[in-house]
Amino acid sequence: MSASVLLAAGLVVGTAGPALAVPTGCSVGGGPDRYYSICTGGTGLHSVYVIQAHRQPGMTEAFSGPWQPVGTRSEVVRWPYHGVVVHVGYATN
């Protein structure tokens, strides 16, 4: 083989990176004032978030919990309690 073919093959092999590992089996729960996320598999971090309607029409407020490793709950207590929850979810990292 020529040097250029070997070099090209080395570049292709050299650019392959490790597979990305992310949390899996994630779910949210709780309510009406305390919410959590939990992930049961994979690796990495997750964080729960809650979006609620604000008293002022057309506005929302967001609350998020701390980043936690797989197998540990991320929890958040929303405040003030009179807002209507419009979405509960989780983010992964």
Side-chain angles (χ1 to χ4, degrees):
M1 291 187 149
S2 71
S4 60
V5 171
L6 291 175
L7 179 59
L11 289 176
V12 171
V13 172
T15 59
L20 294 177
V22 296
T24 59
C26 301
S27 60
V28 295
D33 302 322
R34 182 182 300 269
Y35 293 87
Y36 67 88
S37 64
I38 185 79
C39 297
T40 58
T43 61
L45 303 172
H46 67 97
S47 173
V48 66
Y49 64 88
V50 177
I51 300 173
Q52 73 179 22
H54 191 273
R55 291 179 299 208
Q56 187 170 353
M59 296 185 69
T60 59
E61 297 174 290
F63 303 88
S64 62
W67 289 99
Q68 295 289 353
V70 168
T72 304
R73 280 186 176 195
S74 174
E75 296 186 5
V76 65
V77 176
R78 67 185 188 95
W79 184 92
Y81 306 119
H82 58 268
V84 175
V85 173
V86 294
H87 183 74
V88 178
Y90 63 88
T92 60
N93 186 2

